[in-house]
Every structure is written in structure tokens, then in C-alpha cells.
């Protein structure tokens, strides 16, 4: 628990600092990358046989479409609603999709393809609101509140997952922590356009997240664990950077 809380705090802080220096879209991209799950999977891989790790990677991929649905819903809701209603609606969608997807019984290959396809489509599915690029003002007290909120949410999820039924526990652990926390601070202070830019960047980072777990799942079946883990990180960074370049050409006036 301590490791996960520390990683959550680092993710929230680094993403917020990136937004402060480079803009909301960059902060969102950093938040979407496997900054929490990646290191945890590395520790799990050191202590666990390969097949259980592959099963975890596949289960994570099955939940990714629900995470993208959460982010897209939050973005559209942010154009008309305040952050409490947008947050509630996004999580209703997340838990609805998250409960349905495991029931489909998708083959591993289909789960991988669906996860990547939904991630690529997530950015264009966002509202198109123009936003000037560049850094934004985030006071130190807000930075501290962002980190504290992320830690509190992570702690609540971990504690709740420990007593909830197994199926619901897995879904709880898939809740996008920074995807819930950061937009709630961005919307009231910076507005809908900034929130959409943040969430579009988050989906871009999640594309790296998806590439990480697809590569890890496939790689652990073919290569030594260390090689598969290293290639998974290269795939994550390459996917996020590649999608960023493509979206800048396709949507040149959007952050």
C-alpha cells in the first residue's frame, strides 16, 4: 500500500508540474502513462511467476475501454456541468462499462485489439475546444491539495477493495485515480477547454499505458521477463509520442 500511495503522489505531482510548465495537455499525457502501474508490475514480476503476471496484464487491458469511456464522459460533461456532476456521471459510466466488459468473455487477442482501438479513438471523441498552448498558473497550495486528494482516493480504493467481493475489487483497483482528481481541480479554475485538453492528453498517455500492457502480455509469452518489461516501457513511450505527433497534425488548433 505504501508503494502505491507513493507512486500515486508522484504521479499527481509530476503531472501537475508538467501542466504548470508546458500546459494541460502535457500534464494529462504524463498522468495517463503507466507511472503507477508500470513500477508496480515490475515489482510483481520480480516476485511472481510469469503466467499470473500475464493474467494481471490481460485483466487490466479488459478494463481500459471503461477508463476511456470515463474520460470522454467527463470531458463532455465538463462543457455543461460543474465538476461534482461531471465526476459522478463519469464514474457511473466507468462502473457500468467495467462491470459489463468482463462478462463478454473476449479472447485475449480481441481484448488487446479492443483496448488499443478504443484508445486511438478516445482523443477524437473528445469535444473540440480551442485552447492556447503554454504553461498555466497552479498555486503551491493547490499542488498540495491535488496530491492529498489523490492519496486519499487511492487509500480509500485500496481499503475498500480489501473488503469488497472479488469481482468488484478488481474494478475498484482499475479506477483512474489521477483521471478523477486532476479534472476536478482543472475545471473550476481553468474552465472546460483546459479540462478537455487535460483529458485528451490523458487518453494520449493511456495509449502508452495500453501499449505497455499489450507488449508485456505478449512479450512474457515469448521473451525473458526483463526483456519483455523493458520493451513494454519502450512501447509505452513510443505509442504516446506517436499519437501526440499524429493528433497535432490532425487537430492543429487543439491543445
Amino acid at each position: 500500500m505504501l508503494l502505491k500511495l507513493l507512486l500515486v503522489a508522484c504521479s499527481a505531482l509530476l503531472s501537475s508540474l508538467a501542466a504548470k510548465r508546458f500546459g494541460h495537455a502535457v500534464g494529462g499525457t504524463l498522468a495517463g502513462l503507466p507511472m503507477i502501474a508500470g513500477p508496480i508490475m515490475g515489482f510483481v514480476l520480480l516476485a511472481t511467476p510469469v503466467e499470473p503476471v500475464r493474467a494481471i496484464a490481460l485483466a487490466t487491458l479488459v478494463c481500459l475501454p471503461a477508463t476511456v469511456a470515463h474520460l470522454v464522459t467527463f470531458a463532455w460533461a465538463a462543457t455543461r456541468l460543474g465538476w461534482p456532476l461531471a465526476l459522478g456521471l463519469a464514474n457511473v459510466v466507468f462502473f457500468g462499462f467495467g462491470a459489463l466488459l468482463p462478462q463478454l468473455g473476449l479472447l485475449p487477442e480481441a481484448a488487446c485489439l479492443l483496448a488499443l482501438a478504443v484508445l486511438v479513438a478516445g482523443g477524437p471523441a473528445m469535444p473540440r475546444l480551442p485552447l492556447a498552448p503554454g504553461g498555466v498558473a497552479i498555486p503551491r497550495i493547490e499542488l498540495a491539495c491535488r496530491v492529498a486528494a489523490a492519496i486519499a482516493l487511492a487509500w480509500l480504493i485500496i481499503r475498500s477493495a480489501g473488503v469488497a467481493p472479488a469481482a468488484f475489487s478488481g474494478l475498484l483497483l482499475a479506477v483512474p485515480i489521477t483521471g478523477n482528481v486532476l479534472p476536478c481541480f482543472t475545471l473550476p479554475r481553468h474552465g472546460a477547454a483546459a479540462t478537455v485538453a487535460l483529458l485528451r492528453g490523458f487518453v494520449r498517455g493511456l495509449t502508452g499505458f495500453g501499449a505497455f500492457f499489450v507488449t508485456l502480455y505478449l512479450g512474457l509469452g515469448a521473451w525473458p521477463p526483463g526483456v519483455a518489461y523493458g520493451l513494454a516501457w519502450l512501447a509505452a513511450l513510443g505509442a504516446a509520442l506517436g499519437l501526440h505527433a499524429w493528433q497535432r497534425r490532425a487537430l492543429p488548433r487543439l491543445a
Side-chain angles (χ1 to χ4, degrees), residues 10-38:
C10 290
S11 177
L13 179 59
L14 292 175
S15 301
S16 298
L17 291 175
K20 186 175 182 180
R21 176 65 179 85
F22 301 106
H24 298 288
V26 175
T29 301
L30 193 59
L33 287 169
M35 297 173 60
I36 299 171

Side-chain angles (χ1 to χ4, degrees), residues 99-208:
L100 174 63
L101 288 166
Q103 308 303 318
L104 298 179
L106 296 174
L107 294 174
E109 296 80 5
C112 292
L113 289 174
L114 178 61
L116 294 179
V118 170
L119 287 167
V120 171
M126 297 280 185
R128 298 194 175 193
L129 301 179
L131 180 70
V136 294
I138 302 177
R140 290 184 179 179
I141 185 64
E142 183 177 330
L143 287 174
C145 288
R146 289 180 178 213
V147 172
I151 291 175
L153 179 59
W155 180 85
L156 180 63
I157 288 171
I158 293 170
R159 296 294 295 179
S160 299
V163 298
F168 188 63
S169 294
L171 192 54
L172 276 176
L173 294 174
V175 170
I177 295 172
T178 49
N180 273 311
V181 171
L182 299 185
C184 293
F185 285 91
T186 303
L187 182 57
R189 177 176 286 275
H190 303 286
T195 305
V196 171
L198 172 78
L199 293 169
R200 183 183 292 109
F202 203 110
V203 173
R204 185 185 305 138
L206 274 183
T207 305

Side-chain angles (χ1 to χ4, degrees), residues 74 77-78 81-92 180 183-185 187-188:
F74 204 128
L81 304 174
W83 71 264
L85 290 176
L87 176 66
L89 184 59
N91 279 284
V92 167
N180 273 311
C184 293
F185 285 91
L187 182 57

